[in-house]
Amino acid sequence: MPISAEAVRNLQENDLRVLHALERLMKRYQWVPLEILGRATGFGEKETLFRLSRLLALGMAKYEKVPYDGYTLVFAGYDALALDALAAKDTVKALGPFIGEGKESVVYEGLGVGRLVLKFHRVGQRSFQSARVKRGYMPEEGHVPWIFASALSAGREFLALQKLHPKVPVPVPVERNRHVVVMSFVHGMILSKCTPEDPPAVLATILRHVKEAYRLGVIHGDLSEFNVMVEGDRCVLIDWPQWVETDHPNAGETLERDLRVVLGYFERKFGIGYPLDRALAEVTG
Ligand SMILES: Nc1ncnc2c1ncn2[C@@H]1O[C@H](COP(=O)(O)OP(=O)(O)OP(=O)(O)O)[C@@H](O)[C@H]1O
Ligand SMILES: [Mg+2]
């Protein structure tokens, strides 16, 4: 289901109070009982139920009878909380069109101070859903772990952008709220979809950026032709949530994997033979 800025705009103060209370209570309950929600919001039962019925209709919360009557926040509700916070700060003035969907994120264009990208992290969503479908109940590990996992992932990505910008060409980090990273819009095309005029120069540029990131203590961890955007002779490295520190025990193999993937692509697609050892020595040298 697409994210609806309209639905978020139409939320009333009391809807938001219930959403905020649900979010807080998810730390303690898998399914928040009605009385507990009422107490947290200070609303009577009638008002709480009315607000919940609105949120259920918008797909922002869910109701379950088993194991007991309870309510839970779902991604659309979490998205709404983040969008509301970003709009209140004037960071995001409008949500633009859907740009893409990855393994663990949904990406939208946005408007703020210029053209923006909003990346909604969705960690554990699939496993969470399939567990529900297959077994009919929530996975046991913690209360709705996807909320915390997704916020953590967004936090990690934002931190990487802050460490790297402006020394390494990455999207400019604008703000992070919950599981949403707001960054500048990068023009250009994903490397896998474009045919550069001078492939060896593009490869050299990417290696230069990997080297500079390494010098700043950051290894991408998921580098590939799908996470490099090319515009003319400019290469921007995107998609950083899984980065690792250069002093991490897995740093060596992570860097090697990143380079192997990139070199493999240039070899397959453009017939450029570039030894891994040489790239490794250059990046770490
Ligand atoms: N700052 C940006 N500017 C323009 N387009 C972007 C930007 N960030 C992401 N995109 C677009 O959204 C797509 C998905 O973004 P990203 O690669 O960060 O996440 P992802 O693909 O979900 O992650 P994964 O690699 O785990 O699938 C990109 O391929 C790109 O087309
Ligand atoms: Mg990606």
Side-chain angles (χ1 to χ4, degrees), residues 99-109 115-121 157 161 170-172 182-190 193 220 222 224 226-229 236 238-242:
I99 296 182
E101 185 164 6
K103 288 185 297 292
E104 304 213 299
S105 78
V106 183
V107 180
Y108 278 78
E109 204 178 313
R115 221 168 149 188
L116 301 173
V117 158
L118 279 73
K119 182 169 172 184
F120 296 77
H121 288 243
E157 174 155 46
L161 298 180
V170 294
V172 181
V182 184
M183 57 188 136
S184 65
F185 182 94
V186 176
H187 296 269
M189 275 229 283
I190 292 287
K193 289 188 189 153
H220 190 287
D222 189 26
S224 73
F226 304 106
N227 287 331
V228 176
M229 294 189 68
V236 180
I238 65 164
D239 201 2
W240 290 87
Q242 65 297 304

mmCIF file of all heavy atoms in Angstrom, residues 99-109 115-121 157 161 170-172 182-190 193 220 222 224 226-229 236 238-242, ligand 1:
data_model
loop_
_atom_site.group_PDB
_atom_site.id
_atom_site.type_symbol
_atom_site.label_atom_id
_atom_site.label_comp_id
_atom_site.label_asym_id
_atom_site.label_seq_id
_atom_site.Cartn_x
_atom_site.Cartn_y
_atom_site.Cartn_z
ATOM 1 N N ILE A 99 9.675 6.291 -5.604
ATOM 2 C CA ILE A 99 10.829 6.114 -6.487
ATOM 3 C C ILE A 99 11.193 4.652 -6.637
ATOM 4 O O ILE A 99 11.471 4.164 -7.733
ATOM 5 C CB ILE A 99 12.077 6.853 -5.949
ATOM 6 C CG1 ILE A 99 11.857 8.351 -5.929
ATOM 7 C CG2 ILE A 99 13.295 6.511 -6.783
ATOM 8 C CD1 ILE A 99 13.085 9.119 -5.457
ATOM 9 N N GLY A 100 11.182 3.916 -5.539
ATOM 10 C CA GLY A 100 11.601 2.527 -5.656
ATOM 11 C C GLY A 100 11.441 1.765 -4.366
ATOM 12 O O GLY A 100 11.188 2.344 -3.313
ATOM 13 N N GLU A 101 11.566 0.465 -4.501
ATOM 14 C CA GLU A 101 11.435 -0.393 -3.347
ATOM 15 C C GLU A 101 12.587 -1.371 -3.366
ATOM 16 O O GLU A 101 12.837 -2.022 -4.370
ATOM 17 C CB GLU A 101 10.096 -1.138 -3.421
ATOM 18 C CG GLU A 101 9.809 -1.958 -2.206
ATOM 19 C CD GLU A 101 8.350 -2.378 -2.115
ATOM 20 O OE1 GLU A 101 7.588 -2.104 -3.078
ATOM 21 O OE2 GLU A 101 7.980 -2.970 -1.098
ATOM 22 N N GLY A 102 13.301 -1.452 -2.250
ATOM 23 C CA GLY A 102 14.414 -2.398 -2.171
ATOM 24 C C GLY A 102 14.053 -3.548 -1.272
ATOM 25 O O GLY A 102 12.882 -3.748 -0.953
ATOM 26 N N LYS A 103 15.082 -4.302 -0.892
ATOM 27 C CA LYS A 103 14.844 -5.452 -0.024
ATOM 28 C C LYS A 103 14.288 -4.986 1.321
ATOM 29 O O LYS A 103 13.405 -5.597 1.877
ATOM 30 C CB LYS A 103 16.147 -6.218 0.220
ATOM 31 C CG LYS A 103 16.639 -6.996 -0.980
ATOM 32 C CD LYS A 103 17.868 -7.842 -0.640
ATOM 33 C CE LYS A 103 19.083 -7.014 -0.213
ATOM 34 N NZ LYS A 103 19.676 -6.193 -1.259
ATOM 35 N N GLU A 104 14.838 -3.891 1.826
ATOM 36 C CA GLU A 104 14.449 -3.474 3.168
ATOM 37 C C GLU A 104 14.148 -1.989 3.247
ATOM 38 O O GLU A 104 14.439 -1.343 4.257
ATOM 39 C CB GLU A 104 15.560 -3.838 4.156
ATOM 40 C CG GLU A 104 15.911 -5.317 4.109
ATOM 41 C CD GLU A 104 16.332 -5.888 5.448
ATOM 42 O OE1 GLU A 104 17.343 -5.385 5.974
ATOM 43 O OE2 GLU A 104 15.663 -6.800 5.963
ATOM 44 N N SER A 105 13.587 -1.437 2.188
ATOM 45 C CA SER A 105 13.220 -0.031 2.252
ATOM 46 C C SER A 105 12.220 0.324 1.160
ATOM 47 O O SER A 105 12.047 -0.411 0.190
ATOM 48 C CB SER A 105 14.459 0.851 2.100
ATOM 49 O OG SER A 105 14.837 0.920 0.744
ATOM 50 N N VAL A 106 11.564 1.459 1.379
ATOM 51 C CA VAL A 106 10.691 2.042 0.368
ATOM 52 C C VAL A 106 11.164 3.488 0.220
ATOM 53 O O VAL A 106 11.377 4.174 1.214
ATOM 54 C CB VAL A 106 9.222 2.030 0.829
ATOM 55 C CG1 VAL A 106 8.315 2.564 -0.253
ATOM 56 C CG2 VAL A 106 8.791 0.638 1.226
ATOM 57 N N VAL A 107 11.343 3.923 -1.032
ATOM 58 C CA VAL A 107 11.944 5.235 -1.259
ATOM 59 C C VAL A 107 10.968 6.159 -1.990
ATOM 60 O O VAL A 107 10.367 5.766 -2.997
ATOM 61 C CB VAL A 107 13.268 5.100 -2.048
ATOM 62 C CG1 VAL A 107 13.917 6.447 -2.287
ATOM 63 C CG2 VAL A 107 14.237 4.174 -1.304
ATOM 64 N N TYR A 108 10.802 7.358 -1.461
ATOM 65 C CA TYR A 108 9.917 8.365 -2.050
ATOM 66 C C TYR A 108 10.693 9.644 -2.306
ATOM 67 O O TYR A 108 11.667 9.946 -1.620
ATOM 68 C CB TYR A 108 8.765 8.701 -1.089
ATOM 69 C CG TYR A 108 7.619 7.726 -1.142
ATOM 70 C CD1 TYR A 108 7.711 6.486 -0.509
ATOM 71 C CD2 TYR A 108 6.449 8.037 -1.825
ATOM 72 C CE1 TYR A 108 6.661 5.590 -0.557
ATOM 73 C CE2 TYR A 108 5.390 7.138 -1.875
ATOM 74 C CZ TYR A 108 5.506 5.919 -1.243
ATOM 75 O OH TYR A 108 4.468 5.031 -1.295
ATOM 76 N N GLU A 109 10.210 10.393 -3.266
ATOM 77 C CA GLU A 109 10.735 11.729 -3.442
ATOM 78 C C GLU A 109 9.989 12.653 -2.478
ATOM 79 O O GLU A 109 8.878 12.329 -2.036
ATOM 80 C CB GLU A 109 10.504 12.188 -4.882
ATOM 81 C CG GLU A 109 11.487 13.254 -5.307
ATOM 82 C CD GLU A 109 11.300 13.673 -6.760
ATOM 83 O OE1 GLU A 109 11.189 12.797 -7.632
ATOM 84 O OE2 GLU A 109 11.263 14.889 -6.993
ATOM 85 N N ARG A 115 14.810 19.484 -3.663
ATOM 86 C CA ARG A 115 14.283 18.148 -3.918
ATOM 87 C C ARG A 115 14.931 17.156 -2.956
ATOM 88 O O ARG A 115 16.153 17.117 -2.829
ATOM 89 C CB ARG A 115 14.670 17.802 -5.350
ATOM 90 C CG ARG A 115 13.599 17.117 -6.121
ATOM 91 C CD ARG A 115 13.997 17.094 -7.578
ATOM 92 N NE ARG A 115 13.468 15.909 -8.214
ATOM 93 C CZ ARG A 115 13.774 15.530 -9.446
ATOM 94 N NH1 ARG A 115 14.636 16.243 -10.160
ATOM 95 N NH2 ARG A 115 13.232 14.459 -9.963
ATOM 96 N N LEU A 116 14.104 16.353 -2.311
ATOM 97 C CA LEU A 116 14.609 15.429 -1.302
ATOM 98 C C LEU A 116 14.261 13.990 -1.651
ATOM 99 O O LEU A 116 13.417 13.729 -2.499
ATOM 100 C CB LEU A 116 13.973 15.736 0.062
ATOM 101 C CG LEU A 116 14.175 17.124 0.647
ATOM 102 C CD1 LEU A 116 13.328 17.273 1.906
ATOM 103 C CD2 LEU A 116 15.648 17.362 0.962
ATOM 104 N N VAL A 117 14.921 13.101 -0.924
ATOM 105 C CA VAL A 117 14.534 11.692 -0.952
ATOM 106 C C VAL A 117 14.226 11.263 0.477
ATOM 107 O O VAL A 117 14.950 11.600 1.400
ATOM 108 C CB VAL A 117 15.660 10.831 -1.577
ATOM 109 C CG1 VAL A 117 15.554 9.381 -1.145
ATOM 110 C CG2 VAL A 117 15.595 10.926 -3.093
ATOM 111 N N LEU A 118 13.122 10.542 0.640
ATOM 112 C CA LEU A 118 12.775 9.977 1.940
ATOM 113 C C LEU A 118 12.893 8.467 1.831
ATOM 114 O O LEU A 118 12.199 7.844 1.018
ATOM 115 C CB LEU A 118 11.330 10.324 2.332
ATOM 116 C CG LEU A 118 11.095 11.701 2.936
ATOM 117 C CD1 LEU A 118 11.213 12.780 1.875
ATOM 118 C CD2 LEU A 118 9.714 11.755 3.583
ATOM 119 N N LYS A 119 13.787 7.904 2.620
ATOM 120 C CA LYS A 119 13.957 6.456 2.594
ATOM 121 C C LYS A 119 13.361 5.874 3.867
ATOM 122 O O LYS A 119 13.858 6.115 4.956
ATOM 123 C CB LYS A 119 15.443 6.102 2.458
ATOM 124 C CG LYS A 119 15.694 4.609 2.377
ATOM 125 C CD LYS A 119 17.144 4.314 1.984
ATOM 126 C CE LYS A 119 17.425 2.824 2.094
ATOM 127 N NZ LYS A 119 18.838 2.530 1.805
ATOM 128 N N PHE A 120 12.281 5.146 3.694
ATOM 129 C CA PHE A 120 11.584 4.500 4.809
ATOM 130 C C PHE A 120 12.174 3.106 4.993
ATOM 131 O O PHE A 120 11.995 2.245 4.128
ATOM 132 C CB PHE A 120 10.082 4.374 4.508
ATOM 133 C CG PHE A 120 9.364 5.681 4.375
ATOM 134 C CD1 PHE A 120 9.473 6.446 3.218
ATOM 135 C CD2 PHE A 120 8.556 6.146 5.403
ATOM 136 C CE1 PHE A 120 8.802 7.661 3.093
ATOM 137 C CE2 PHE A 120 7.871 7.361 5.290
ATOM 138 C CZ PHE A 120 8.000 8.120 4.135
ATOM 139 N N HIS A 121 12.886 2.898 6.079
ATOM 140 C CA HIS A 121 13.473 1.578 6.315
ATOM 141 C C HIS A 121 12.391 0.603 6.769
ATOM 142 O O HIS A 121 11.486 0.963 7.508
ATOM 143 C CB HIS A 121 14.593 1.685 7.351
ATOM 144 C CG HIS A 121 15.822 2.351 6.811
ATOM 145 N ND1 HIS A 121 17.020 1.714 6.702
ATOM 146 C CD2 HIS A 121 16.005 3.600 6.305
ATOM 147 C CE1 HIS A 121 17.904 2.539 6.161
ATOM 148 N NE2 HIS A 121 17.320 3.693 5.912
ATOM 149 N N GLU A 157 22.337 4.345 8.755
ATOM 150 C CA GLU A 157 22.544 4.938 7.435
ATOM 151 C C GLU A 157 22.819 6.436 7.566
ATOM 152 O O GLU A 157 23.731 6.971 6.932
ATOM 153 C CB GLU A 157 21.321 4.707 6.537
ATOM 154 C CG GLU A 157 21.458 5.436 5.195
ATOM 155 C CD GLU A 157 20.657 4.813 4.065
ATOM 156 O OE1 GLU A 157 19.475 4.488 4.283
ATOM 157 O OE2 GLU A 157 21.231 4.671 2.959
ATOM 158 N N LEU A 161 26.165 8.705 6.367
ATOM 159 C CA LEU A 161 26.101 9.880 5.487
ATOM 160 C C LEU A 161 26.769 11.083 6.161
ATOM 161 O O LEU A 161 27.487 11.848 5.522
ATOM 162 C CB LEU A 161 24.647 10.208 5.120
ATOM 163 C CG LEU A 161 23.880 9.133 4.341
ATOM 164 C CD1 LEU A 161 22.457 9.594 4.044
ATOM 165 C CD2 LEU A 161 24.602 8.781 3.035
ATOM 166 N N VAL A 170 28.039 11.369 -1.502
ATOM 167 C CA VAL A 170 26.899 10.576 -1.032
ATOM 168 C C VAL A 170 25.725 11.547 -0.993
ATOM 169 O O VAL A 170 25.930 12.760 -1.066
ATOM 170 C CB VAL A 170 27.149 9.995 0.385
ATOM 171 C CG1 VAL A 170 28.287 8.980 0.378
ATOM 172 C CG2 VAL A 170 27.409 11.093 1.414
ATOM 173 N N PRO A 171 24.487 11.055 -0.869
ATOM 174 C CA PRO A 171 23.379 11.998 -0.692
ATOM 175 C C PRO A 171 23.638 12.852 0.558
ATOM 176 O O PRO A 171 24.178 12.355 1.553
ATOM 177 C CB PRO A 171 22.170 11.074 -0.471
ATOM 178 C CG PRO A 171 22.560 9.761 -1.087
ATOM 179 C CD PRO A 171 24.036 9.652 -0.905
ATOM 180 N N VAL A 172 23.267 14.116 0.502
ATOM 181 C CA VAL A 172 23.483 15.000 1.652
ATOM 182 C C VAL A 172 22.490 14.621 2.761
ATOM 183 O O VAL A 172 21.280 14.581 2.527
ATOM 184 C CB VAL A 172 23.258 16.481 1.261
ATOM 185 C CG1 VAL A 172 23.514 17.392 2.460
ATOM 186 C CG2 VAL A 172 24.140 16.857 0.078
ATOM 187 N N VAL A 182 16.027 11.307 5.646
ATOM 188 C CA VAL A 182 15.780 12.348 4.646
ATOM 189 C C VAL A 182 17.135 12.795 4.117
ATOM 190 O O VAL A 182 18.033 13.116 4.891
ATOM 191 C CB VAL A 182 15.033 13.555 5.253
ATOM 192 C CG1 VAL A 182 14.714 14.581 4.172
ATOM 193 C CG2 VAL A 182 13.765 13.093 5.967
ATOM 194 N N MET A 183 17.269 12.783 2.810
ATOM 195 C CA MET A 183 18.545 13.148 2.180
ATOM 196 C C MET A 183 18.288 13.886 0.869
ATOM 197 O O MET A 183 17.145 13.956 0.411
ATOM 198 C CB MET A 183 19.373 11.885 1.936
ATOM 199 C CG MET A 183 18.671 10.847 1.080
ATOM 200 S SD MET A 183 19.603 9.299 1.022
ATOM 201 C CE MET A 183 18.330 8.087 1.254
ATOM 202 N N SER A 184 19.363 14.423 0.324
ATOM 203 C CA SER A 184 19.190 15.156 -0.932
ATOM 204 C C SER A 184 18.894 14.181 -2.072
ATOM 205 O O SER A 184 19.279 13.010 -2.028
ATOM 206 C CB SER A 184 20.452 15.952 -1.254
ATOM 207 O OG SER A 184 21.525 15.069 -1.486
ATOM 208 N N PHE A 185 18.210 14.685 -3.071
ATOM 209 C CA PHE A 185 17.917 13.908 -4.271
ATOM 210 C C PHE A 185 19.157 13.886 -5.155
ATOM 211 O O PHE A 185 19.739 14.926 -5.439
ATOM 212 C CB PHE A 185 16.736 14.560 -5.007
ATOM 213 C CG PHE A 185 16.311 13.808 -6.233
ATOM 214 C CD1 PHE A 185 15.300 12.870 -6.165
ATOM 215 C CD2 PHE A 185 16.914 14.054 -7.456
ATOM 216 C CE1 PHE A 185 14.899 12.168 -7.294
ATOM 217 C CE2 PHE A 185 16.524 13.354 -8.590
ATOM 218 C CZ PHE A 185 15.506 12.413 -8.508
ATOM 219 N N VAL A 186 19.535 12.697 -5.569
ATOM 220 C CA VAL A 186 20.698 12.564 -6.445
ATOM 221 C C VAL A 186 20.216 12.393 -7.881
ATOM 222 O O VAL A 186 19.413 11.505 -8.176
ATOM 223 C CB VAL A 186 21.557 11.341 -6.037
ATOM 224 C CG1 VAL A 186 22.705 11.143 -7.013
ATOM 225 C CG2 VAL A 186 22.067 11.501 -4.619
ATOM 226 N N HIS A 187 20.693 13.240 -8.757
ATOM 227 C CA HIS A 187 20.346 13.098 -10.169
ATOM 228 C C HIS A 187 21.210 12.010 -10.762
ATOM 229 O O HIS A 187 22.246 11.676 -10.226
ATOM 230 C CB HIS A 187 20.571 14.436 -10.894
ATOM 231 C CG HIS A 187 19.671 15.500 -10.379
ATOM 232 N ND1 HIS A 187 18.442 15.764 -10.914
ATOM 233 C CD2 HIS A 187 19.817 16.344 -9.328
ATOM 234 C CE1 HIS A 187 17.868 16.735 -10.242
ATOM 235 N NE2 HIS A 187 18.678 17.104 -9.261
ATOM 236 N N GLY A 188 20.801 11.488 -11.854
ATOM 237 C CA GLY A 188 21.619 10.477 -12.492
ATOM 238 C C GLY A 188 20.943 9.129 -12.471
ATOM 239 O O GLY A 188 19.770 9.010 -12.108
ATOM 240 N N MET A 189 21.692 8.126 -12.883
ATOM 241 C CA MET A 189 21.129 6.783 -13.056
ATOM 242 C C MET A 189 21.934 5.775 -12.279
ATOM 243 O O MET A 189 23.138 5.928 -12.081
ATOM 244 C CB MET A 189 21.194 6.415 -14.538
ATOM 245 C CG MET A 189 20.004 6.927 -15.311
ATOM 246 S SD MET A 189 19.326 5.619 -16.290
ATOM 247 C CE MET A 189 20.498 5.540 -17.634
ATOM 248 N N ILE A 190 21.247 4.726 -11.883
ATOM 249 C CA ILE A 190 21.935 3.611 -11.239
ATOM 250 C C ILE A 190 22.921 3.001 -12.250
ATOM 251 O O ILE A 190 22.579 2.811 -13.418
ATOM 252 C CB ILE A 190 20.891 2.574 -10.768
ATOM 253 C CG1 ILE A 190 20.031 3.145 -9.631
ATOM 254 C CG2 ILE A 190 21.534 1.265 -10.363
ATOM 255 C CD1 ILE A 190 20.751 3.258 -8.297
ATOM 256 N N LYS A 193 22.133 0.427 -14.829
ATOM 257 C CA LYS A 193 21.229 0.757 -15.936
ATOM 258 C C LYS A 193 21.842 1.713 -16.945
ATOM 259 O O LYS A 193 21.181 2.112 -17.901
ATOM 260 C CB LYS A 193 19.957 1.403 -15.384
ATOM 261 C CG LYS A 193 19.065 0.427 -14.654
ATOM 262 C CD LYS A 193 17.745 1.092 -14.315
ATOM 263 C CE LYS A 193 16.915 0.229 -13.390
ATOM 264 N NZ LYS A 193 16.014 1.037 -12.562
ATOM 265 N N HIS A 220 31.478 0.342 2.986
ATOM 266 C CA HIS A 220 30.074 0.309 2.573
ATOM 267 C C HIS A 220 29.339 -0.964 3.017
ATOM 268 O O HIS A 220 28.322 -0.902 3.701
ATOM 269 C CB HIS A 220 29.974 0.465 1.044
ATOM 270 C CG HIS A 220 28.584 0.670 0.548
ATOM 271 N ND1 HIS A 220 27.651 -0.345 0.521
ATOM 272 C CD2 HIS A 220 27.945 1.769 0.074
ATOM 273 C CE1 HIS A 220 26.496 0.125 0.056
ATOM 274 N NE2 HIS A 220 26.659 1.412 -0.220
ATOM 275 N N ASP A 222 27.698 -3.155 1.182
ATOM 276 C CA ASP A 222 26.741 -3.689 0.195
ATOM 277 C C ASP A 222 26.971 -3.002 -1.148
ATOM 278 O O ASP A 222 26.046 -2.715 -1.896
ATOM 279 C CB ASP A 222 25.299 -3.468 0.679
ATOM 280 C CG ASP A 222 24.270 -4.191 -0.196
ATOM 281 O OD1 ASP A 222 24.629 -5.208 -0.832
ATOM 282 O OD2 ASP A 222 23.107 -3.742 -0.260
ATOM 283 N N SER A 224 27.684 -2.289 -4.863
ATOM 284 C CA SER A 224 27.427 -3.024 -6.103
ATOM 285 C C SER A 224 26.994 -2.021 -7.163
ATOM 286 O O SER A 224 26.810 -0.827 -6.865
ATOM 287 C CB SER A 224 26.301 -4.050 -5.911
ATOM 288 O OG SER A 224 25.060 -3.384 -5.813
ATOM 289 N N PHE A 226 24.245 -1.635 -8.179
ATOM 290 C CA PHE A 226 22.904 -1.141 -7.844
ATOM 291 C C PHE A 226 22.939 -0.023 -6.803
ATOM 292 O O PHE A 226 21.926 0.618 -6.539
ATOM 293 C CB PHE A 226 22.031 -2.285 -7.319
ATOM 294 C CG PHE A 226 21.935 -3.432 -8.270
ATOM 295 C CD1 PHE A 226 22.620 -4.610 -8.030
ATOM 296 C CD2 PHE A 226 21.185 -3.309 -9.438
ATOM 297 C CE1 PHE A 226 22.551 -5.674 -8.924
ATOM 298 C CE2 PHE A 226 21.105 -4.364 -10.334
ATOM 299 C CZ PHE A 226 21.789 -5.546 -10.085
ATOM 300 N N ASN A 227 24.103 0.201 -6.200
ATOM 301 C CA ASN A 227 24.188 1.225 -5.169
ATOM 302 C C ASN A 227 25.170 2.339 -5.533
ATOM 303 O O ASN A 227 25.704 3.022 -4.666
ATOM 304 C CB ASN A 227 24.538 0.579 -3.820
ATOM 305 C CG ASN A 227 23.353 -0.193 -3.256
ATOM 306 O OD1 ASN A 227 22.201 0.148 -3.528
ATOM 307 N ND2 ASN A 227 23.624 -1.234 -2.494
ATOM 308 N N VAL A 228 25.404 2.485 -6.834
ATOM 309 C CA VAL A 228 26.201 3.614 -7.322
ATOM 310 C C VAL A 228 25.337 4.364 -8.323
ATOM 311 O O VAL A 228 24.766 3.756 -9.232
ATOM 312 C CB VAL A 228 27.494 3.128 -8.027
ATOM 313 C CG1 VAL A 228 28.258 4.309 -8.616
ATOM 314 C CG2 VAL A 228 28.374 2.331 -7.073
ATOM 315 N N MET A 229 25.227 5.678 -8.132
ATOM 316 C CA MET A 229 24.482 6.477 -9.110
ATOM 317 C C MET A 229 25.472 7.293 -9.911
ATOM 318 O O MET A 229 26.407 7.892 -9.366
ATOM 319 C CB MET A 229 23.454 7.370 -8.408
ATOM 320 C CG MET A 229 22.358 6.534 -7.728
ATOM 321 S SD MET A 229 20.975 7.500 -7.102
ATOM 322 C CE MET A 229 20.233 8.059 -8.636
ATOM 323 N N VAL A 236 27.970 8.787 -7.288
ATOM 324 C CA VAL A 236 27.502 8.975 -5.917
ATOM 325 C C VAL A 236 27.195 7.604 -5.318
ATOM 326 O O VAL A 236 26.481 6.800 -5.932
ATOM 327 C CB VAL A 236 26.235 9.869 -5.886
ATOM 328 C CG1 VAL A 236 25.748 10.075 -4.459
ATOM 329 C CG2 VAL A 236 26.513 11.214 -6.560
ATOM 330 N N ILE A 238 25.331 5.285 -2.754
ATOM 331 C CA ILE A 238 24.105 5.343 -1.945
ATOM 332 C C ILE A 238 23.926 4.047 -1.142
ATOM 333 O O ILE A 238 24.695 3.108 -1.302
ATOM 334 C CB ILE A 238 22.847 5.580 -2.823
ATOM 335 C CG1 ILE A 238 22.598 4.397 -3.755
ATOM 336 C CG2 ILE A 238 22.982 6.866 -3.633
ATOM 337 C CD1 ILE A 238 21.194 4.371 -4.365
ATOM 338 N N ASP A 239 22.888 4.041 -0.280
ATOM 339 C CA ASP A 239 22.442 2.819 0.406
ATOM 340 C C ASP A 239 23.447 2.313 1.440
ATOM 341 O O ASP A 239 24.083 1.285 1.260
ATOM 342 C CB ASP A 239 22.156 1.733 -0.669
ATOM 343 C CG ASP A 239 21.239 0.642 -0.159
ATOM 344 O OD1 ASP A 239 20.778 0.723 0.989
ATOM 345 O OD2 ASP A 239 20.985 -0.299 -0.929
ATOM 346 N N TRP A 240 23.521 3.005 2.593
ATOM 347 C CA TRP A 240 24.578 2.764 3.578
ATOM 348 C C TRP A 240 24.193 2.081 4.893
ATOM 349 O O TRP A 240 25.011 2.057 5.813
ATOM 350 C CB TRP A 240 25.244 4.107 3.913
ATOM 351 C CG TRP A 240 26.054 4.664 2.797
ATOM 352 C CD1 TRP A 240 25.609 5.448 1.772
ATOM 353 C CD2 TRP A 240 27.463 4.463 2.569
ATOM 354 N NE1 TRP A 240 26.654 5.756 0.922
ATOM 355 C CE2 TRP A 240 27.800 5.164 1.391
ATOM 356 C CE3 TRP A 240 28.459 3.745 3.236
ATOM 357 C CZ2 TRP A 240 29.101 5.178 0.874
ATOM 358 C CZ3 TRP A 240 29.750 3.768 2.727
ATOM 359 C CH2 TRP A 240 30.056 4.480 1.553
ATOM 360 N N PRO A 241 22.993 1.555 5.078
ATOM 361 C CA PRO A 241 22.659 1.101 6.443
ATOM 362 C C PRO A 241 23.560 -0.001 6.990
ATOM 363 O O PRO A 241 23.726 -0.112 8.185
ATOM 364 C CB PRO A 241 21.206 0.597 6.317
ATOM 365 C CG PRO A 241 20.968 0.416 4.878
ATOM 366 C CD PRO A 241 21.850 1.380 4.168
ATOM 367 N N GLN A 242 24.150 -0.811 6.098
ATOM 368 C CA GLN A 242 24.919 -1.962 6.570
ATOM 369 C C GLN A 242 26.422 -1.698 6.630
ATOM 370 O O GLN A 242 27.208 -2.617 6.690
ATOM 371 C CB GLN A 242 24.637 -3.177 5.694
ATOM 372 C CG GLN A 242 25.102 -3.009 4.248
ATOM 373 C CD GLN A 242 24.385 -1.898 3.517
ATOM 374 O OE1 GLN A 242 23.177 -1.922 3.458
ATOM 375 N NE2 GLN A 242 25.105 -0.910 3.011
HETATM 376 N N1 LIG B 1 19.329 10.096 -2.662
HETATM 377 C C1 LIG B 1 18.722 9.517 -3.712
HETATM 378 N N2 LIG B 1 18.452 10.219 -4.829
HETATM 379 C C2 LIG B 1 17.819 9.650 -5.882
HETATM 380 N N3 LIG B 1 17.414 8.371 -5.899
HETATM 381 C C3 LIG B 1 17.653 7.614 -4.818
HETATM 382 C C4 LIG B 1 18.312 8.134 -3.670
HETATM 383 N N4 LIG B 1 18.398 7.158 -2.747
HETATM 384 C C5 LIG B 1 17.814 6.081 -3.290
HETATM 385 N N5 LIG B 1 17.369 6.334 -4.528
HETATM 386 C C6 LIG B 1 16.657 5.388 -5.429
HETATM 387 O O1 LIG B 1 15.970 4.426 -4.657
HETATM 388 C C7 LIG B 1 16.478 3.106 -4.916
HETATM 389 C C8 LIG B 1 16.581 2.310 -3.619
HETATM 390 O O2 LIG B 1 17.440 2.979 -2.715
HETATM 391 P P1 LIG B 1 18.552 2.220 -1.866
HETATM 392 O O3 LIG B 1 19.481 1.503 -2.784
HETATM 393 O O4 LIG B 1 19.143 3.192 -0.927
HETATM 394 O O5 LIG B 1 17.757 1.174 -0.965
HETATM 395 P P2 LIG B 1 17.408 -0.333 -1.246
HETATM 396 O O6 LIG B 1 17.676 -0.673 -2.647
HETATM 397 O O7 LIG B 1 16.101 -0.555 -0.620
HETATM 398 O O8 LIG B 1 18.363 -1.193 -0.453
HETATM 399 P P3 LIG B 1 18.729 -2.678 -0.873
HETATM 400 O O9 LIG B 1 19.996 -2.531 -1.644
HETATM 401 O O10 LIG B 1 18.833 -3.363 0.446
HETATM 402 O O11 LIG B 1 17.642 -3.246 -1.725
HETATM 403 C C9 LIG B 1 17.801 3.323 -5.604
HETATM 404 O O12 LIG B 1 18.080 2.289 -6.474
HETATM 405 C C10 LIG B 1 17.616 4.648 -6.323
HETATM 406 O O13 LIG B 1 16.989 4.434 -7.552
#
